[in-house]
Structure formats: C-alpha cells, structure tokens
Amino acid sequence: MKKKIVLTGDRPTGPLHLGHYVGSLRNRLVLQETHDQFIMVADVQALTDNAENPEKVRASVTQVVLDYLAVGIDPTKSTIFIQSMIPEIAELTMFFLNLVTVARLHRNPTVKDEIKQKGYEESIPAGFFMYPVSQAADIAFLKTNIVPVGHDQLPMIEQTNEIIRKFNRLYGDVFVEPEAMVPPALTGRLPGLDGKSKMGKSLGNAIFLGDEADDVTKKIMSMYTDANHLRVEDPGQIEDNAVFMYLDIFGRDQAAVAEMKAHYQRGGLGDVKVKRYLNDELQALLTPIRERRKLFAADIGQVMSILQEGTAKVRERARHTMVQVKQAMKIDYF
Ligand code: TRP
C-alpha cells in the first residue's frame, strides 16, 4: 500500500530547542518509520518577518538541518528540502491568492496573534500577512495527506482546506485535502525554564539541542520551581513546577518520579536534589544528540548534499503538480 504523505516544517530563525524536540521532532522520528515524510526548511516563510535579517535566516538553515540529523531524522526515510529552492510554491501561492479574501486573512487567529506579538498593527508586511496562503501552497503542491501541528497552527490547516476545496471546485480535482494531526496536550507542549510561557528562543528560556553539557546543567539549576518552597523540610508544590513538568516528560523511570513527587509534597526533598535528577535524565537524552550534531557539523558538505538531494526530489514533484495546475486553470499555453 502507498504510504501517506506527511509534511512538517520549521521557520529557520535559530537552532532548535527541547520544545521543538517534544512538540515535533520526537513525533517525526516515529512518523518516518510509517509514512512518506517530508520536512521543509521554511526559509521563505522565515523571511516574511525577517526581511532585514537574511544572514540570520541563512545561518539558521544549516543549524536547523544539523538539529534534524542530530536527533535521528534519517535522510533515507525522510526527505528534507528548502522552501525557496522550489519556485513552484511561489507560483502556486500567486494563484491561491485569488481564492482567498483579505477579510478572511484578517480573521486568521494565528496571524492575528503574531501581528499582536510583533507589534505590527498598522505596518504589517504584505508577505507576512498572506503567509497562510503560502503555507497552503506548501501543503497542497506535495498532495500532503497529513500535517502534524500544534494547536496554534490548526487555523492554518483549516484555511488550507478552504483554499483547496475552492480550487478543486473551480478548476477540477487537482489537490488533496490534508488532515491535521494534533499531538496530545500533555506531550506536545514544553514550558520554558521560567515555567511560565512555552519554551521559545526569543524568551531566553530555552535549552538548545546543541547546548554544551555544563550549559544544560546551569540552565536546569536556574529553573523555576515552587517559590514558596524555602526550606527542604517544607512541603512543596508540584503543580506549575517546571522541574516536575519536565520530569513528567523526560523521566525514564516514572515510578521513581511519582515517588519524588510524593516526597516533595510531604516535605523533606530539596529542589537541588530534584534538579540534579532532572539533569541526569536530560544529559542522557542530549549527550548523543550533541555528539551526532558535532559529527555532522564537521562535514557541512555532506549536510548540504543531503539537502540538495531532498530538494531535487521535491522539485520533481512540484513540476509535476504545476503541469496539472496549469492544465486545470487553462494556462498551459505552449
Ligand atoms: N508555519 C510553520 C512554523 O511556524 C512552518 C511551516 C511552513 C509549515 N510551511 C509549513 C509547517 C507547512 C507545516 C506545513 O513553524
């Protein structure tokens, strides 16, 4: 049976962190065994809000791909490609723009949130404003069946499906309606070191996959716990306690974690002990990743040929789709 096509992607704006690992990389390692998985380095999308920073985007492309390879994304199982090297996506975006209204774009909750976050308000770059349409083209041109996303990206899939339905109704059945695959809330979201917002690069609350061992330890030792847990013998709170949230996710021995939680709540278990335990668990996860990352980083030529091969394969598919699109739209002149 033909495997289903899965597409995921990341905007290259910096190296990836543990939040990415928990929210999507881990899932991609599973999916590459069962699906026809494509992973897009969305540099065009990254440029929609980084037009002044092309160096940052360029450097991040390499960083992100190093992170993929380091965690075990296997280029013989997953196809990694660069968005900007597939000009057919830009072409398709142009046609898709005719199928969506400005009012509909204004209502997209993901874009609304980002506009607020970035303080764009009255000065939204048009390219940024319409990136959901570009993302619809990303998903459509590959005939993607499944898009794994976090909750915040759900409106993107909804809008993609609207555009695809409209295209198919107007011009004929070229595209496939994709399904969103949302990870369970518990496993999909990792709070930052501050325990408050989700882990993010710009918030300064992240552990990066390439962080050196002693930086990881320092970051863990600085983590937010229970502000009222002042003396070891005091009872402590495990709710909203980032260290225990991390242990729920990264603890390999959940029976031991449950025991520590009970001990912490009773009193008599100090923060430093719990943090040392978490440090051991995270070092066990991150050490092999860091080592693999260094091996690949020492051979950037190999990394670039992996990208080039993946991109060439995707470009073939893109050309094929565009022939169908142009026939359907009656713009296949010669
Ligand atoms: N919007 C995604 C992000 O913010 C990146 C992305 C671009 C994407 N195109 C995609 C994800 C297509 C899935 C499918 O990281």
Side-chain angles (χ1 to χ4, degrees):
M1 217 177 65
K2 219 173 139 228
K3 286 184 185 170
K4 289 202 171 172
I5 296 178
V6 179
L7 173 67
T8 59
D10 296 288
R11 292 184 199 174
T13 54
L16 302 181
H17 51 64
L18 271 180
H20 294 110
Y21 181 79
V22 170
S24 65
L25 296 173
R26 233 176 18 171
N27 193 35
R28 294 179 198 177
L29 295 179
V30 178
L31 287 172
Q32 73 179 351
E33 304 300 333
T34 48
H35 291 68
D36 192 6
Q37 176 163 252
F38 293 82
I39 304 176
M40 184 173 74
V41 185
D43 60 342
V44 175
Q45 192 174 108
L47 285 164
T48 63
D49 62 334
N50 285 283
E52 315 71 19
N53 273 318
E55 314 75 17
K56 179 174 103 183
V57 174
R58 173 63 187 86
S60 302
V61 169
T62 315
Q63 294 301 312
V64 164
V65 177
L66 281 175
D67 287 322
Y68 292 162
L69 298 170
V71 297
I73 298 292
D74 177 346
T76 68
K77 296 175 180 166
S78 298
T79 306
I80 308 172
F81 69 102
I82 305 186
Q83 186 181 24
S84 64
M85 297 300 285
I86 314 291
E88 287 80 4
I89 298 177
E91 207 178 353
L92 186 57
T93 301
M94 207 60 205
F95 301 142
F96 277 4
L97 278 168
N98 299 329
L99 309 180
V100 66
T101 64
V102 172
R104 176 66 181 86
L105 280 169
H106 268 298
R107 280 198 305 273
N108 185 307
T110 311
V111 179
K112 244 193 204 165
D113 282 354
E114 281 182 286
I115 287 170
K116 225 186 270 155
Q117 256 176 44
K118 297 176 205 292
Y120 278 154
E121 258 83 60
E122 295 307 309
S123 59
I124 316 166
F128 180 80
F129 182 63
M130 60 112 233
Y131 93 73
V133 182
S134 162
Q135 189 158 331
D138 299 338
I139 295 167
F141 90 96
L142 263 175
K143 316 265 175 97
T144 306
N145 302 110
I146 300 168
V147 189
V149 288
H151 280 279
D152 57 325
Q153 290 277 313
L154 268 182
M156 293 293 167
I157 311 305
E158 207 177 295
Q159 191 154 25
T160 299
N161 277 316
E162 286 173 27
I163 293 171
I164 287 179
R165 272 197 293 273
K166 189 151 187 194
F167 185 102
N168 287 350
R169 181 161 52 74
L170 286 172
Y171 306 124
D173 273 328
V174 172
F175 294 113
V176 179
E177 281 184 51
E179 239 177 86
M181 180 191 220
V182 186
L186 230 181
T187 61
R189 204 183 170 100
L190 187 71
L193 298 168
D194 52 4
K196 288 190 198 101
S197 34
K198 82 175 192 186
M199 187 175 279
K201 178 178 44 77
S202 49
L203 301 169
N205 64 2
I207 294 177
F208 294 96
L209 297 175
D211 275 352
E212 291 298 339
D214 49 348
D215 289 327
V216 173
T217 305
K218 260 186 233 143
K219 287 180 180 181
I220 291 171
M221 289 303 162
S222 78
M223 274 177 84
Y224 177 96
T225 55
D226 169 5
N228 298 317
H229 188 231
L230 299 175
R231 291 172 310 174
V232 173
E233 55 279 21
D234 290 341
Q237 262 213 3
I238 57 166
E239 294 82 19
D240 295 324
N241 185 324
V243 177
F244 282 103
M245 289 191 251
Y246 280 36
L247 283 176
D248 282 339
I249 296 175
F250 300 109
R252 286 167 297 176
D253 180 353
Q254 282 299 319
V257 170
E259 230 167 79
M260 288 172 75
K261 282 183 180 172
H263 192 177
Y264 193 82
Q265 286 173 305
R266 260 196 328 268
L269 180 58
D271 283 345
V272 172
K273 262 207 179 135
V274 189
K275 286 177 173 177
R276 287 219 178 101
Y277 185 90
L278 174 61
N279 185 52
D280 289 344
E281 298 302 272
L282 280 181
Q283 298 291 356
L285 171 73
L286 292 172
T287 301
I289 293 176
R290 185 187 317 113
E291 281 168 6
R292 282 170 60 84
R293 202 180 193 283
K294 283 191 174 152
L295 283 180
F296 282 109
D299 191 356
I300 290 296
Q302 188 201 354
V303 174
M304 290 318 282
S305 30
I306 288 168
L307 258 178
Q308 194 176 358
E309 265 173 50
T311 303
K313 176 176 153 189
V314 169
R315 185 89 202 272
E316 264 319 296
R317 293 196 185 214
R319 285 206 183 94
H320 184 76
T321 301
M322 270 337 266
V323 170
Q324 297 175 324
V325 165
K326 291 189 172 181
Q327 266 168 9
M329 293 182 70
K330 313 202 181 304
I331 51 175
D332 54 336
Y333 299 106
F334 317 108

